[in-house]
Amino acid sequence: MILHIDMDAFFASIEQRDDPRLAGKPIVVGGHSRRSVVATASYEARCFGIHSAMPMFMALERCPHLVVVQSDKAKYAAVSSRIMEIFNDFTPVVEPVSIDEAYLDVTGCERIFGPPHNIAMVIKERIKKETRLTCSIGGAHLRFLAKVASDVNKPDGIFIIEQDQAQEFIATLEIKKIPGVGKRAMEQMEMLGIHTLGDVNRLSPAILQQKFGKFGNRLRNFAQGIDPSTVGADGQRKSISSESTLETDTSDMTFIKQQLLAHAQRVGRDLRRQELLAANVTIKLKFSDFTQITRQNKLTAPICSSSAIYREAVRLVEKTAMTKKIRLLGVGVSSFSDPGTPVQLDIFESTERKEEKWETVDKAVDKISSRFGNDIIKKATLNSPDKPS
Ligand code: TTP
Ligand code: MG
């Protein structure tokens, strides 16, 4: 049995918990500038149609008495770690997938904690007792169904799909509720008259493959109650990223590079703090018309230095056609490995000396940042528009 656990209105609930004046009120977490976007909205704010990623000015239009709370990532990360530790008390097979959600494989825990619904109740009680926060839990024998299930009784709910009820649930499951279905695929499905997973069975495998490629195969498997993905037990995040909405839309490459460097430094520091190497670098760009793209590069040798992340991010941006101004940009890394293994030691040996020097610099920067705060040190490039060092 796989459980998917997702905290309710995570950032907003933490702020409401820590300031009783905010309890029961429509609040959002995000930046104060009108150009900021909503990171998350309390359930009271959601009644006004406010949601994550909505521009702040729009949220304020929908609810003029909305309280905007400045985001405090360090605080949320600390709560997140606490929650992940709690999960580890139930099973060693925990896969955190974002700051507020994780998959747990609880097969074999039933002898200690009882049936899945009981396990979910006990986990909810522990979280509530230790963090004063609520979460929602979904359970199923298939990973994708567990994720769908955690949303069914959100907030503060539990929904378990027993194996013998799965096929019935799948037949009427709306395609838009399935994780990973993009807007374009969704539109194409609608055009073909496909609304539920049950409808997918009506399409021939050839059509599915032709129209939706690999994703078509996955959908077909889901429709037939097949999901081979298991819960990764390494207990590590699968990606680390940093992004921000710019004060004004821009196409100024010097400025864009400065921003990329700041994000690369943040991501690099997180990566090194967790003693990981990453083999994948991603950039995210949102343009002035709110369209968004991500681009990624798979590296031959994994990295952890901020300058290497920066270099890859710049390369990706330079390959992207910039027909519109940029509104938001972000840098992320994924495909982690642990530098402690012999394979990675080989990689270190083959790494250019220059890169190693940067890693030494990065470590010194990390040490100082952790004592004096993130903004104390910036590479010269951040302050001067000269060529990146
Ligand atoms: P979510 O779990 O997607 O949202 P949530 O926990 O706020 O609300 P829900 O009850 O629906 O689960 O994301 C977790 C946190 O991640 C969220 O509190 C804030 C942050 N986040 C962003 O910063 N930007 C985003 O676009 C999203 C979706 C989330
Ligand atoms: Mg959540």
Side-chain angles (χ1 to χ4, degrees):
M1 172 65 64
I2 296 172
L3 297 185
H4 177 258
I5 307 180
D6 188 302
M7 302 302 292
D8 301 324
F10 189 48
F11 295 2
S13 304
I14 294 174
E15 296 302 341
Q16 287 180 317
R17 174 195 74 178
D18 294 348
D19 183 352
R21 289 170 304 176
L22 303 178
K25 296 225 174 94
I27 76 155
V28 291
V29 173
H32 276 287
S33 115
R34 279 176 67 81
R35 288 187 57 84
S36 307
V37 291
V38 172
T40 195
S42 68
Y43 276 79
E44 295 83 357
R46 292 182 198 193
C47 296
F48 294 85
I50 297 167
H51 55 77
S52 293
M54 176 181 273
M56 199 57 86
F57 74 87
M58 211 181 272
L60 285 161
E61 267 168 21
R62 294 198 178 183
C63 175
H65 59 288
L66 185 70
V67 181
V68 181
V69 183
Q70 187 69 43
S71 152
D72 181 350
K73 285 271 170 58
K75 178 159 81 170
Y76 313 143
V79 179
S80 177
S81 306
R82 186 71 210 99
I83 291 158
M84 301 301 166
E85 276 169 25
I86 294 176
F87 298 156
N88 273 303
D89 286 348
F90 289 86
T91 168
V93 194
V94 177
E95 181 186 326
V97 278
S98 79
I99 193 160
D100 85 325
E101 66 183 307
Y103 288 97
L104 277 64
D105 191 329
V106 293
T107 313
C109 303
E110 301 189 13
R111 263 176 301 151
I112 310 168
F113 300 107
H117 196 276
N118 275 45
I119 303 177
M121 268 185 353
V122 180
I123 294 176
K124 278 172 69 64
E125 277 163 20
R126 268 285 302 279
I127 292 181
K128 181 87 194 190
K129 195 164 147 237
E130 292 190 28
T131 68
R132 290 189 289 128
L133 296 169
T134 65
C135 66
S136 297
I137 304 186
H141 67 295
L142 302 175
R143 184 180 158 120
F144 90 97
L145 273 190
K147 166 101 178 164
V148 172
S150 69
D151 227 30
V152 173
N153 285 331
K154 200 170 220 339
D156 202 9
I158 298 174
F159 190 73
I160 306 289
I161 303 168
E162 298 296 343
Q163 194 158 354
D164 58 2
Q165 299 161 351
Q167 211 51 50
E168 198 183 324
F169 184 89
I170 285 170
T172 56
L173 179 59
E174 288 176 277
I175 302 283
K176 63 170 183 251
K177 298 210 168 137
I178 297 165
V181 181
K183 214 168 131 204
R184 207 178 309 155
M186 193 58 231
E187 283 165 8
Q188 275 185 290
M189 292 270 169
E190 294 280 336
M191 263 162 31
L192 291 167
I194 306 294
H195 307 290
T196 65
L197 259 190
D199 295 336
V200 170
N201 282 326
R202 292 208 310 261
L203 292 181
S204 74
I207 291 277
L208 268 170
Q209 163 82 38
Q210 181 206 328
K211 294 236 177 248
F212 304 102
K214 265 193 199 156
F215 181 66
N217 292 340
R218 249 180 90 214
L219 269 190
R220 193 175 154 73
N221 278 339
F222 286 177
Q224 296 180 352
I226 301 165
D227 181 4
S229 36
T230 51
V231 180
D234 58 6
Q236 295 289 353
R237 291 273 297 278
K238 293 285 177 248
S239 66
I240 296 173
S241 61
S242 168
E243 63 177 52
S244 62
T245 302
L246 307 175
E247 282 296 316
T248 42
D249 295 354
T250 187
S251 46
D252 174 353
M253 252 339 248
T254 307
F255 181 73
I256 290 169
K257 283 183 180 172
Q258 287 173 357
Q259 293 296 310
L260 289 175
L261 181 53
H263 289 303
Q265 287 185 328
R266 229 166 272 150
V267 167
R269 194 178 49 241
D270 264 13
L271 198 56
R272 294 187 294 276
R273 206 179 275 158
Q274 296 185 42
E275 299 186 337
L276 294 170
L277 292 162
N280 205 36
V281 175
T282 313
I283 55 154
K284 173 171 161 186
L285 300 175
K286 194 187 264 182
F287 297 103
S288 46
D289 61 357
F290 286 87
T291 54
Q292 185 177 302
I293 58 157
T294 56
R295 294 286 178 267
Q296 56 175 305
N297 192 15
K298 193 107 197 134
L299 309 172
T300 44
I303 52 174
C304 70
S305 95
S306 299
S307 59
I309 297 168
Y310 168 70
R311 198 182 49 220
E312 292 305 323
V314 168
R315 210 171 274 169
L316 286 167
V317 167
E318 284 176 343
K319 272 202 280 184
T320 309
M322 295 283 180
T323 48
K324 287 160 275 186
K325 287 187 174 179
I326 292 176
R327 178 183 171 83
L328 168 148
L329 58 82
V331 174
V333 292
S334 57
S335 298
F336 297 144
S337 49
D338 172 357
T341 66
V343 180
Q344 273 70 39
L345 285 177
D346 288 347
I347 288 158
F348 272 134
E349 276 157 23
S350 67
T351 312
E352 290 168 36
R353 263 187 62 73
K354 195 173 161 222
E355 208 63 78
E356 282 174 21
K357 260 166 48 191
W358 268 117
E359 273 155 22
T360 315
V361 174
D362 282 335
K363 275 179 193 141
V365 170
D366 293 348
K367 218 167 167 181
I368 296 167
S369 306
S370 70
R371 283 185 62 197
F372 300 109
N374 291 347
D375 294 326
I376 193 86
I377 291 189
K378 287 180 177 153
K379 275 189 198 160
T381 332
L382 278 184
N383 297 322
S384 79
D386 296 331
K387 204 169 136 309
S389 45

